[in-house]
Amino acid sequence: MAAERRACGPPAAEMLRECARDVVAVAEGIREVSARTSSALFAPALTGSARRRPRTGVAARWALLRTLTNRQGLGGSAIVAPDGVGHLLGAAGEALGRASLAQLVAVTSLRLRIAAVLLDHPEFGRDPGMRRLADAVGADRDPEAAVRALRALFKDRDAQRPLSALAPILADLLAVRGLLDEDPLSDETAWALAAGRRLTAAPGRGSGTSHLAGTDRGVGAAQAVEPSAQEATSLATEGSFLGFLRNIDALAGDARVLVQEVRGPDGVLRYVVQAPGTAPGRPRDDSPQDFAGAWRNLFLTDSPYARSILLAIRDHGIPRGADLALVGHGEGGIALLSLAQDDEFCRAYRVTHVAVVGAQTDDRSPADPRTWVAGITNRHDIVPVLDGPGAPHPNRYRVDYPGPTREFPRCHLLRVYIDDLETVIPQARADVDRALARYRGPVERTRVYRLRDRGRPPEGYPFLAVPTAGLATSAGPVDVPVRYYDSSAAHLCFPVDTDVARSLLPDVAWMVPTRLGRRALAVLSLYEHRCTTIGPYTELGLSVLVDDLWRPHAYDLAADLLRRADLRRTGRYVVALAVGTEEARAVAEELWAQPAVHGAADVELQGRELRVHAPELGVSVEGRPGPGARCPEADWVLYGRRGESTVRTLVRAHGRPRVHARPRLRLRLDGAHGSLARHLQILELDAVRPGFVLTSPRFVAHRSAGAVLPR
């Protein structure tokens, strides 16, 4: 039956992709109509007509405005006027959460492309991150849910598989992000990506000038390093295609490239540059060999990876005019092809051969037409497919074979390609070796270079550039202060009965709740920590504001708002805490003396709606914080209790906090499954809405080790 269906027409996945292209063409048309309608609305002629003939002129402008902003028309935020009233109306539409018709249609195209990927690779549907992304894109009322789901994929330290699953649809995700006006790319670029088109080179590239001329401006770096003794013994001593690939595989995990000098059969010394593909795991700010670098490598010929390789070549001291072969895998192959496309590079060195595996070569034409280019790809490897087919080249060798390894990302691994070259396609190996005959000889010198993204400060600089010290916990050593590189938070502040709040505090006379009028203040803090020095985790905490532990005064809280956080006398006593990992629980209990339990929670705090679901804890929060205003940074002093002492922890944060005076949030408790839910029930917080809410959609922070107070 499957064979009959294939004979009757194109595969279903290809039909979905074709449909996606048609749908995005419709979105382009809608966007053009929106632009023309907006231009007509704010045209000087129509404005003058409205003044001269109010009855007809104002009616015409009102009709155009309704067409632009009505949900049954072109959508809420379809205003494209660059300034004035049109710009204000467009900003208002965005603030109200409206998506234009063009945006919604473009998201529909993205859904079709995701469906095509899942049809070709059903194993992706079993990945939790990919499944969450597909569900988010399928949400009708929230196009930005796809972006939040994409951000969630970077939570795991080992994010290779979910990130690899995104490879075929990464361009579409970036396009949709651009259409939602938060992508750094221009609108024209975003629509080009949505339509499935590759970015073209900037003016001057490939036309007699160098697109890598800025290598001395501080982008990319290469440092000579020594391989370990075991790695040194595994490096090839004779030049061959498989030998070069095995060298790459031996050093691929740490952004290292090799430059080898090979004495050819004719006695001439030649040079071979070998570059690995994308390193597994989440993006790293210190290395161009990561997922973010692969994206830039894919769409732009000028990338930090290519610049870093060029610096390694210059540092090696290869003489001008020397013969040079470039061998790479995946992202490394694309970076080497970018070098081969550069006119200035090809004038400095004679690039005789480029041989890459796991990278498409059809749309990459070397600056020197004599350069021989070989590309070998497994048909099941989806990474090379991203580049798309290009024009044929007369001096090109291409092998696209159906390898026995079908599952991605395994079929993209270099060791799999090496095994296939030995057993499945030995003829391809022989053909490339025949072409590289002048490089088949003894290796006289090998030098290894570690590549870096020079020009970028350390992650979190300057706020998180603080001195650290190691402390032991039951979960292992921890550096303090604990640094939070990417977090979101919402603090729900409830006025509560003072006597009830006092009953939750330690039984000591000198710790009393801070009074706001006749009420105390309880704070339910919701955190989503996506990247920290103790790993990603969620955090739900209940605390009560307390006065100065030694000399409480009626207006301590108001005075503390004017003080630096490290000089504050008031603080929040943590009554109950639930965190998403055992390591975070150990740190909270042992370093900060906070009564923490391990409890999983699904937390989304970056959209217009806040959602927290913690079935294990019996807690959920949903709703909108409402309109807000900027407020000072939300630094905190947190108190815990250990034995007869109080532990004081200082939390410094940097972001863009906002205060919301009329939140529409509701806390629900589905049974008291733990201390957090029980304390929330005691305060009866599920029966009222918070008095106000503090939100920080994205911030960085560091928490000091707890200081023990004799109190």
Side-chain angles (χ1 to χ4, degrees):
M1 291 296 293
E4 292 177 4
R5 286 196 297 268
R6 285 194 297 269
C8 293
E14 184 55 38
M15 293 178 65
L16 287 173
R17 292 188 180 94
E18 185 65 31
C19 184
R21 287 190 286 269
D22 293 341
V23 171
V24 89
V26 173
E28 282 187 309
I30 294 172
R31 192 170 191 270
E32 292 172 359
V33 171
S34 298
R36 291 197 299 270
T37 306
S38 182
S39 299
L41 173 61
F42 299 103
L46 187 58
T47 302
S49 174
R51 293 194 187 101
R52 292 190 302 270
R53 300 179 180 85
R55 174 178 290 183
T56 57
V58 172
R61 297 195 76 188
W62 178 248
L64 288 173
L65 181 62
R66 282 180 57 82
T67 300
L68 280 169
T69 58
N70 197 288
R71 293 185 183 275
Q72 282 71 42
L74 294 171
S77 57
I79 303 293
V80 296
D83 52 20
V85 178
H87 180 74
L88 293 176
L89 289 173
E94 291 291 343
L96 293 173
R98 296 182 181 177
S100 71
L101 180 60
Q103 292 172 350
L104 296 175
V105 173
V107 172
T108 301
S109 173
L110 175 60
R111 296 175 191 168
L112 291 170
R113 296 202 184 198
I114 290 178
V117 171
L118 294 177
L119 199 61
D120 282 338
H121 293 271
E123 69 273 13
F124 289 169
R126 296 189 293 270
D127 182 88
M130 189 68 173
R131 191 165 58 245
R132 180 180 180 185
L133 176 64
D135 293 341
V137 174
D140 291 331
R141 297 186 178 181
D142 191 2
E144 290 189 347
V147 181
R148 293 197 298 272
L150 173 64
R151 194 178 289 114
L153 287 177
F154 290 91
K155 285 183 177 180
D156 298 331
R157 290 178 176 176
D158 185 12
Q160 179 183 11
R161 181 166 184 82
L163 292 178
S164 300
L166 286 179
I169 58 168
L170 180 59
D172 304 276
L173 287 171
L174 296 171
V176 172
R177 179 69 280 169
L179 298 177
L180 295 175
D181 294 330
E182 290 188 17
D183 192 82
L185 301 176
S186 66
D187 287 343
E188 179 181 356
T189 300
W191 280 99
L193 291 173
R197 300 191 295 267
R198 182 186 174 88
L199 300 186
T200 56
R205 294 179 184 173
S207 58
T209 60
S210 172
H211 62 265
L212 295 169
T215 49
D216 295 327
R217 295 201 303 265
V219 179
Q223 178 185 6
V225 296
E226 292 296 328
S228 67
Q230 182 178 358
E231 291 170 340
T233 57
S234 65
L235 298 179
T237 58
E238 289 283 333
S240 69
F241 184 43
L242 279 186
F244 299 142
L245 293 181
R246 290 193 180 101
N247 291 345
I248 296 172
D249 191 44
L251 303 178
D254 194 21
R256 290 176 293 175
V257 300
L258 295 88
V259 180
Q260 287 189 313
E261 301 177 8
V262 180
R263 184 73 63 179
D266 55 359
V268 176
L269 192 64
R270 296 181 175 88
Y271 301 84
V272 184
V273 179
Q274 302 147 54
T278 306
R282 67 188 307 277
R284 304 190 301 266
D285 279 348
D286 63 338
S287 169
Q289 189 208 4
D290 60 7
F291 191 75
W295 171 80
R296 176 162 182 158
N297 228 356
L298 175 64
F299 292 107
L300 302 173
T301 53
D302 178 8
S303 70
Y305 200 173
R307 291 169 179 262
S308 300
I309 295 175
L310 179 57
L311 290 172
I313 293 173
R314 290 178 177 174
D315 183 79
H316 192 81
I318 300 177
R320 293 182 66 88
D323 286 355
L324 193 62
L326 309 176
V327 180
H329 166 244
E331 180 194 358
I334 297 298
L336 294 174
L337 285 165
S338 296
L339 288 176
Q341 289 180 274
D342 186 65
D343 289 343
E344 183 177 322
F345 182 78
C346 291
R347 285 195 296 269
Y349 311 104
R350 183 168 178 258
V351 182
T352 60
H353 298 77
V354 180
V356 300
V357 298
Q360 191 71 270
T361 60
D362 290 343
D363 64 342
R364 300 273 182 153
S365 298
D368 187 345
R370 298 170 298 175
T371 302
W372 187 83
V373 179
I376 298 173
T377 57
N378 184 337
R379 197 168 297 166
H380 306 299
D381 185 355
I382 61 178
V383 172
V385 177
L386 287 170
D387 281 340
H393 192 279
N395 200 13
R396 197 177 300 277
Y397 179 80
R398 185 82 169 85
V399 175
D400 184 26
Y401 68 99
T405 304
R406 302 175 58 91
E407 185 177 358
F408 185 85
R410 178 171 170 75
C411 60
H412 181 65
L413 296 178
L414 180 54
R415 66 192 63 175
V416 173
Y417 274 104
I418 293 173
D419 292 341
D420 291 349
L421 285 166
E422 289 182 315
T423 59
V424 180
I425 48 172
Q427 185 59 46
R429 179 200 65 201
D431 292 342
V432 176
D433 270 334
R434 191 178 303 111
L436 293 173
R438 68 185 76 177
Y439 294 89
R440 296 196 59 122
V443 175
E444 296 196 353
R445 183 187 178 207
T446 297
R447 203 168 186 191
V448 179
Y449 292 88
R450 178 172 284 113
L451 307 185
R452 287 287 181 263
D453 280 339
R454 190 180 64 188
R456 290 187 179 184
E459 192 171 3
Y461 179 85
F463 183 78
L464 296 181
V466 294
T468 62
L471 294 179
T473 70
S474 59
V478 173
D479 287 338
V480 291
V482 176
R483 278 96 66 208
Y484 296 82
Y485 294 95
D486 183 15
S487 298
S488 300
H491 304 279
L492 284 58
C493 303
F494 297 85
V496 297
D497 183 88
T498 304
D499 292 334
V500 177
R502 179 67 184 85
S503 68
L504 303 182
L505 299 177
D507 189 17
V508 290
W510 40 261
M511 184 175 287
V512 295
T514 298
R515 289 178 179 269
L516 300 177
R518 297 183 178 181
R519 310 280 281 177
L521 192 68
V523 181
L524 176 60
S525 298
L526 315 171
Y527 292 95
E528 181 184 18
H529 300 304
R530 292 174 290 275
C531 180
T532 81
T533 52
I534 58 174
Y537 69 97
T538 56
E539 179 179 352
L540 279 64
L542 175 65
S543 57
V544 175
L545 253 66
V546 295
D547 285 335
D548 184 355
L549 304 184
W550 274 270
R551 292 186 298 273
H553 296 285
Y555 302 103
D556 272 347
L557 179 61
D560 263 358
L561 294 177
L562 304 177
R563 297 189 182 108
R564 295 191 337 232
D566 53 338
L567 298 178
R568 290 179 184 171
R569 295 183 171 89
T570 62
R572 290 160 48 204
Y573 183 84
V574 179
V575 175
L577 184 67
V579 293
T581 65
E582 279 296 327
E583 185 174 14
R585 185 202 59 76
V587 171
E589 285 196 339
E590 299 171 25
L591 298 188
W592 303 325
Q594 298 171 2
V597 297
H598 181 200
D602 185 13
V603 178
E604 292 185 9
L605 304 176
Q606 292 186 296
R608 295 182 178 89
E609 291 192 11
L610 307 183
R611 298 185 183 91
V612 176
H613 294 284
E616 297 179 8
L617 305 172
V619 177
S620 65
V621 178
E622 287 189 1
R624 295 192 174 209
R630 287 289 305 276
C631 64
E633 298 292 345
D635 296 335
W636 301 100
V637 172
L638 301 179
Y639 290 120
R641 189 73 175 162
R642 180 184 297 133
E644 299 299 320
S645 302
T646 301
V647 178
R648 181 179 186 268
T649 303
L650 179 61
V651 182
R652 300 296 302 270
H654 177 65
R656 299 175 64 87
R658 301 180 70 84
V659 59
H660 307 263
R662 302 181 64 182
R664 295 186 176 182
L665 291 167
R666 179 66 70 182
L667 168 67
R668 291 183 173 85
L669 301 176
D670 300 324
H673 300 308
S675 59
L676 177 62
R678 286 196 300 273
H679 285 96
L680 293 172
Q681 283 182 331
I682 293 172
L683 293 170
E684 299 181 347
L685 301 187
D686 56 331
V688 295
R689 289 182 176 176
F692 63 95
V693 173
L694 298 174
T695 63
S696 294
R698 187 167 186 176
F699 69 95
V700 295
H702 55 79
R703 295 190 190 186
S704 67
V708 179
L709 305 178
R711 197 68 167 134

Coordinates of all heavy atoms in Angstrom, one line a residue, residues 5-40:
R5 N 0.9 4.3 -2.7 CA 0.7 5.7 -2.4 C 1.8 6.5 -3.0 O 1.6 7.6 -3.5 CB 0.6 5.9 -0.9 CG -0.8 5.4 -0.3 CD -1.0 6.0 1.1 NE 0.0 5.5 2.0 CZ -0.1 4.4 2.7 NH1 -1.2 3.7 2.6 NH2 0.8 4.0 3.5
R6 N 3.0 6.0 -2.9 CA 4.2 6.8 -3.4 C 4.1 6.9 -4.9 O 4.4 7.9 -5.5 CB 5.5 6.1 -3.0 CG 5.9 6.3 -1.6 CD 7.3 5.9 -1.3 NE 7.5 4.5 -1.6 CZ 7.4 3.5 -0.7 NH1 7.1 3.9 0.6 NH2 7.6 2.3 -1.0
A7 N 3.5 5.8 -5.6 CA 3.4 5.9 -7.0 C 2.3 6.9 -7.5 O 2.4 7.4 -8.6 CB 3.1 4.5 -7.6
C8 N 1.3 7.1 -6.6 CA 0.2 8.0 -7.1 C 0.6 9.5 -7.0 O -0.1 10.3 -7.5 CB -1.0 7.7 -6.2 SG -1.7 6.1 -6.4
G9 N 1.6 9.8 -6.3 CA 1.9 11.2 -6.2 C 3.2 11.5 -5.3 O 3.8 10.5 -4.9
P10 N 3.5 12.7 -5.1 CA 4.7 13.0 -4.3 C 4.5 12.6 -2.8 O 3.4 12.4 -2.4 CB 4.8 14.5 -4.4 CG 3.4 15.0 -4.7 CD 2.8 13.9 -5.5
P11 N 5.6 12.4 -2.1 CA 5.5 12.0 -0.7 C 4.7 13.0 0.1 O 4.7 14.2 -0.2 CB 6.9 11.9 -0.2 CG 7.7 11.7 -1.5 CD 7.0 12.4 -2.5
A12 N 4.0 12.5 1.2 CA 3.2 13.4 2.0 C 4.0 14.6 2.6 O 3.6 15.7 2.6 CB 2.5 12.7 3.1
A13 N 5.3 14.3 3.0 CA 6.1 15.3 3.6 C 6.4 16.4 2.6 O 6.4 17.6 2.9 CB 7.4 14.7 4.1
E14 N 6.7 16.0 1.3 CA 7.0 17.0 0.3 C 5.7 17.9 0.0 O 5.8 19.1 -0.2 CB 7.5 16.4 -0.9 CG 7.9 17.3 -2.0 CD 8.9 18.3 -1.5 OE1 9.8 18.0 -0.7 OE2 8.9 19.5 -1.9
M15 N 4.6 17.2 0.0 CA 3.3 18.0 -0.2 C 3.1 19.0 0.9 O 2.6 20.1 0.7 CB 2.1 17.0 -0.3 CG 2.2 16.1 -1.5 SD 0.8 14.9 -1.5 CE -0.6 16.0 -1.6
L16 N 3.4 18.6 2.2 CA 3.3 19.6 3.3 C 4.2 20.7 3.1 O 3.8 21.9 3.4 CB 3.5 18.9 4.6 CG 2.4 17.9 5.1 CD1 2.9 17.2 6.3 CD2 1.2 18.7 5.4
R17 N 5.4 20.5 2.7 CA 6.4 21.6 2.5 C 5.9 22.5 1.3 O 6.1 23.7 1.4 CB 7.8 21.0 2.2 CG 8.4 20.3 3.3 CD 9.9 19.9 3.1 NE 10.4 19.2 4.2 CZ 10.5 17.9 4.3 NH1 10.0 17.1 3.4 NH2 11.0 17.4 5.4
E18 N 5.4 21.9 0.3 CA 4.9 22.7 -0.8 C 3.7 23.6 -0.4 O 3.6 24.8 -0.7 CB 4.5 21.8 -2.0 CG 4.0 22.6 -3.2 CD 5.2 23.3 -3.9 OE1 6.3 22.9 -3.8 OE2 4.9 24.4 -4.5
C19 N 2.8 23.0 0.4 CA 1.7 23.7 1.0 C 2.2 24.8 1.9 O 1.7 25.9 1.9 CB 0.8 22.8 1.7 SG -0.7 23.6 2.4
A20 N 3.3 24.6 2.7 CA 3.8 25.6 3.6 C 4.4 26.8 2.8 O 4.2 27.9 3.1 CB 4.9 25.0 4.4
R21 N 5.0 26.5 1.6 CA 5.5 27.6 0.7 C 4.3 28.4 0.2 O 4.4 29.6 0.1 CB 6.3 27.0 -0.4 CG 7.7 26.5 0.1 CD 8.6 26.2 -1.1 NE 8.2 24.9 -1.7 CZ 8.7 23.7 -1.4 NH1 9.6 23.6 -0.4 NH2 8.3 22.6 -2.0
D22 N 3.2 27.7 -0.2 CA 2.1 28.4 -0.7 C 1.5 29.3 0.4 O 1.1 30.5 0.2 CB 1.0 27.5 -1.2 CG 1.5 26.7 -2.4 OD1 2.4 27.2 -3.1 OD2 0.9 25.6 -2.7
V23 N 1.4 28.8 1.6 CA 0.8 29.5 2.7 C 1.6 30.8 3.1 O 1.1 31.9 3.3 CB 0.6 28.6 4.0 CG1 0.2 29.5 5.2 CG2 -0.4 27.6 3.7
V24 N 2.9 30.6 3.1 CA 3.8 31.8 3.4 C 3.7 32.8 2.3 O 3.9 34.0 2.5 CB 5.2 31.3 3.7 CG1 6.1 31.3 2.4 CG2 5.9 32.3 4.7
A25 N 3.5 32.4 1.0 CA 3.3 33.3 0.0 C 2.0 34.1 0.2 O 2.0 35.4 -0.1 CB 3.2 32.6 -1.4
V26 N 1.0 33.5 0.7 CA -0.2 34.2 1.1 C 0.1 35.2 2.2 O -0.4 36.4 2.2 CB -1.3 33.2 1.5 CG1 -2.6 33.9 2.1 CG2 -1.7 32.3 0.4
A27 N 0.8 34.8 3.2 CA 1.2 35.7 4.3 C 2.0 36.9 3.7 O 1.7 38.1 4.2 CB 2.1 35.0 5.3
E28 N 2.8 36.7 2.7 CA 3.6 37.8 2.1 C 2.6 38.8 1.5 O 2.7 40.0 1.6 CB 4.6 37.3 1.1 CG 5.8 36.8 1.7 CD 6.9 36.4 0.7 OE1 6.5 35.7 -0.3 OE2 8.0 36.9 0.8
G29 N 1.6 38.2 0.8 CA 0.6 39.1 0.1 C -0.2 39.9 1.1 O -0.5 41.1 0.9
I30 N -0.6 39.2 2.2 CA -1.4 39.9 3.2 C -0.5 41.1 3.8 O -1.0 42.2 4.1 CB -1.8 39.0 4.3 CG1 -2.8 37.9 3.8 CG2 -2.4 39.7 5.5 CD1 -3.1 36.8 4.7
R31 N 0.7 40.8 4.0 CA 1.6 41.8 4.6 C 1.7 43.0 3.6 O 1.8 44.2 4.1 CB 3.0 41.3 4.9 CG 3.9 42.1 5.8 CD 5.1 41.4 6.2 NE 5.8 42.1 7.2 CZ 6.8 43.0 7.0 NH1 7.1 43.2 5.8 NH2 7.4 43.6 8.0
E32 N 1.9 42.7 2.4 CA 1.9 43.8 1.4 C 0.6 44.7 1.4 O 0.7 45.9 1.3 CB 2.2 43.3 0.0 CG 3.6 42.7 -0.1 CD 3.8 41.9 -1.5 OE1 2.8 41.9 -2.2 OE2 4.9 41.4 -1.7
V33 N -0.5 44.0 1.5 CA -1.8 44.7 1.5 C -1.8 45.6 2.8 O -2.3 46.7 2.8 CB -2.9 43.7 1.5 CG1 -4.3 44.4 1.8 CG2 -3.0 43.0 0.2
S34 N -1.3 45.0 3.9 CA -1.3 45.8 5.2 C -0.5 47.1 5.0 O -0.8 48.1 5.4 CB -0.8 45.0 6.3 OG -1.6 43.8 6.6
A35 N 0.7 46.9 4.3 CA 1.6 48.0 4.2 C 0.9 49.1 3.3 O 1.0 50.3 3.6 CB 2.9 47.6 3.5
R36 N 0.3 48.7 2.2 CA -0.4 49.6 1.3 C -1.5 50.3 2.0 O -1.7 51.5 1.8 CB -0.8 48.9 0.0 CG 0.3 48.5 -0.9 CD -0.2 48.2 -2.3 NE -1.2 47.1 -2.3 CZ -0.9 45.8 -2.5 NH1 0.4 45.5 -2.6 NH2 -1.9 44.9 -2.5
T37 N -2.3 49.5 2.7 CA -3.4 50.1 3.5 C -3.0 51.1 4.5 O -3.6 52.2 4.7 CB -4.3 49.0 4.1 OG1 -4.6 48.0 3.1 CG2 -5.5 49.6 4.8
S38 N -1.9 50.8 5.2 CA -1.4 51.7 6.2 C -0.8 53.0 5.6 O -1.1 54.1 6.1 CB -0.3 51.0 7.0 OG 0.2 51.9 8.0
S39 N -0.2 52.8 4.4 CA 0.3 54.0 3.7 C -0.8 54.9 3.3 O -0.7 56.1 3.4 CB 1.2 53.6 2.5 OG 2.3 52.8 2.9
A40 N -1.9 54.3 2.8 CA -3.0 55.1 2.4 C -3.7 55.8 3.6 O -4.1 56.9 3.4 CB -4.0 54.2 1.7

